[in-house]
Amino acid sequence: MSAPVPPARGSTVRGALEAALASAPEGGLTAKDLSGLVGISEKDVAGHLEHLEKSLKAQGARLEVLPATCLACGFTFKERRRFTRPGACPECRATRIDPPAFRVTR
């Protein structure tokens, strides 16, 4: 079997990410959601989001991060600056973490 082919893009990866995030629902989109919509790996999404955040700032918009949450104790990672999912909760050490979600606000 051959590898799955990502959907065709009419713009750059970051342009496609920006378009997806601009039309994101109230709850935002996770890195997994974005990877499926844009056709890149989930691991690559965080790097592109870092650059997109700078571009949006120059345009007068911002990348809003809805923080990750521990599913075991409810701890919210409000102060976390990285765009990846945390490995474990600092409160209870559980590894079941609801990943952060993202959206663009203007």
Side-chain angles (χ1 to χ4, degrees):
M1 293 184 96
S2 63
V5 178
R9 282 192 294 265
S11 63
T12 64
V13 171
R14 292 186 192 136
L17 281 172
E18 182 178 355
L21 289 168
S23 62
E26 189 67 26
L29 295 169
T30 64
K32 186 174 184 175
D33 298 333
L34 291 168
S35 72
L37 288 171
V38 179
I40 59 174
S41 76
E42 192 174 337
K43 289 183 176 187
D44 291 339
V45 171
H48 287 293
L49 288 176
E50 290 175 16
H51 291 282
L52 182 60
E53 182 177 40
K54 294 174 187 175
S55 300
L56 289 170
K57 195 174 199 178
Q59 297 171 14
R62 72 184 195 93
L63 179 65
E64 186 177 351
V65 179
L66 307 168
T69 307
C70 175
L71 296 172
C73 72
F75 178 80
T76 303
F77 293 81
K78 293 177 187 169
E79 303 300 317
R80 186 174 170 92
R81 297 290 166 233
R82 286 187 268 169
F83 296 127
T84 56
R85 184 182 74 82
C89 175
E91 295 288 317
C92 69
R93 306 307 303 161
T95 56
R96 292 182 45 227
I97 309 290
D98 192 26
F102 311 95
R103 65 181 173 203
V104 171
T105 55
R106 300 208 182 264

